[in-house]
Amino acid sequence: MASILILTARSSVEVLPALGLLSHTVKTIPAEPAQLVSAPHCDVVMVDARADLANAKSLCKILTATGLSSPLLLIITEGGLAAVTADWGITDVVLDTAGPAEVDARIRLALGRAEQESPSEARISASGIVIDEASYSVKVHDKPLDLTYKEFELLRFLATHPSRVFSREQLLSEVWGYDYFGGTRTVDVHVRRLRAKLGDMEQVIGTVRNVGYRFNVADESHERSSISS
C-alpha cells in the first residue's frame, strides 16, 4: 500500500475513480504552487491535468525543479495526451478512465523504478569509506560513524572530488554556502572533528600546507555505485 498525494481542485474520487477501489492512502491538496511548501510526505505524487494542461505542466516543472524524490504521475484525459512531452519531467501518465488494475500497476511500477534508479546515485565508496547520500550515513569498514550534518556534507563533498585540493574559502562556499558569515576557522574545526571520528582512516582527509584540504584515495577503487552492488 502506497501513500499518494494528488494535486487537484477536486476530490480524488472525481479525479481518478479507480483509486477508490484500491487500498492506497490518498490525500489531496489544491493544485497551486503555494501549497507545495506544506505538502505532506508521500510515496507517489499525482497531478490532475484533465482540465488545465498549462497549470499542470507548470506544477510538474516546479516539483521536479525542487528535487522531488517521489515518482510523479500525471492524470490526464485521452485528448490531452498529445500535449505531454519529456520536458514535463513526469514519471508516467494515467488516464482518468483507467481501471483499478491498471492504476495499481502504474503505481507499483513507478515505485519499483524509483527504487532501482535512486541508489545508483546514492553511494560513494572510497578507501574503505562508504557514504550513503540517500540515508545521510557513513560507514568505515562497515562500522557506522555518528556525524553531524555539516561533517557529513564536508566529507561527502571532498569524497566526490578525490585528490582535488580545495581552499578553506572554497569549502566554506561549497559546504556552508555563500551566505555563511563565519570565518575559515570553521572548516579547520570540522576537519579536526571529522578526522577524530574517522579514527584510523583520518589520513583520507589530507592537508596541503598553505592551500587547504583534499580527499586522499588509497587506490583506484573510488567509485560511485549502486547500494545493491
Side-chain angles (χ1 to χ4, degrees), residues 107-123:
I107 292 171
R108 187 173 65 254
L109 290 171
L111 287 170
R113 285 194 296 268
E115 266 185 40
Q116 291 177 343
E117 292 170 1
S118 58
S120 64
E121 300 179 351
R123 193 179 84 165

Side-chain angles (χ1 to χ4, degrees), residues 53 76-85 93 95:
L53 286 168
I76 197 166
T77 63
E78 189 170 357
L81 286 172
V84 182
T85 56
V93 296
L95 289 177

Side-chain angles (χ1 to χ4, degrees), residues 14-215:
E14 292 178 278
V15 179
L16 194 58
L19 272 179
L21 302 174
L22 298 171
S23 59
H24 302 298
T25 302
V26 182
K27 294 182 180 180
T28 62
I29 62 172
E32 302 170 359
Q35 297 293 323
L36 300 179
V37 178
S38 56
H41 172 76
C42 60
D43 299 317
V44 176
V45 176
M46 292 185 172
V47 174
D48 180 7
R50 299 169 306 145
D52 191 341
L53 286 168
N55 183 58
K57 181 177 183 178
S58 176
L59 279 174
C60 289
K61 287 195 168 186
I62 291 173
L63 284 165
T64 53
T66 53
L68 177 69
S69 57
S70 303
L72 178 58
L73 275 61
L74 194 70
I75 304 171
I76 197 166
T77 63
E78 189 170 357
L81 286 172
V84 182
T85 56
D87 67 339
W88 284 51
I90 60 173
T91 305
D92 200 357
V93 296
V94 182
L95 289 177
D96 60 342
T97 55
E102 180 181 343
V103 172
D104 194 50
R106 291 188 182 276
I107 292 171
R108 187 173 65 254
L109 290 171
L111 287 170
R113 285 194 296 268
E115 266 185 40
Q116 291 177 343
E117 292 170 1
S118 58
S120 64
E121 300 179 351
R123 193 179 84 165
I124 303 167
S125 179
S127 301
I129 299 174
V130 177
I131 303 170
D132 188 341
E133 295 176 290
S135 62
Y136 272 80
S137 63
V138 176
K139 290 183 178 180
V140 176
H141 298 309
D142 294 326
K143 293 183 179 180
L145 291 187
D146 182 18
L147 302 183
T148 66
Y149 175 74
K150 285 302 181 185
E151 288 168 353
F152 175 89
E153 286 294 304
L154 178 59
L155 180 62
R156 182 196 63 79
F157 179 77
L158 289 170
T160 53
H161 302 85
S163 302
R164 179 176 169 183
V165 181
F166 290 93
S167 68
R168 292 167 176 80
E169 290 78 9
Q170 287 175 311
L171 291 172
L172 272 178
S173 174
E174 295 291 344
V175 178
W176 279 264
Y178 288 103
D179 56 349
Y180 181 74
F181 293 104
T184 55
R185 177 166 170 72
T186 297
V187 176
D188 297 328
V189 170
H190 279 74
V191 167
R192 185 168 64 250
R193 291 174 180 170
L194 192 51
R195 282 174 170 163
K197 292 181 178 182
L198 286 168
D200 293 341
M201 296 297 295
E202 66 173 348
Q203 72 276 4
V204 299
I205 301 181
T207 300
V208 179
R209 189 178 297 275
N210 298 324
V211 181
Y213 299 103
R214 70 181 175 196
F215 190 90

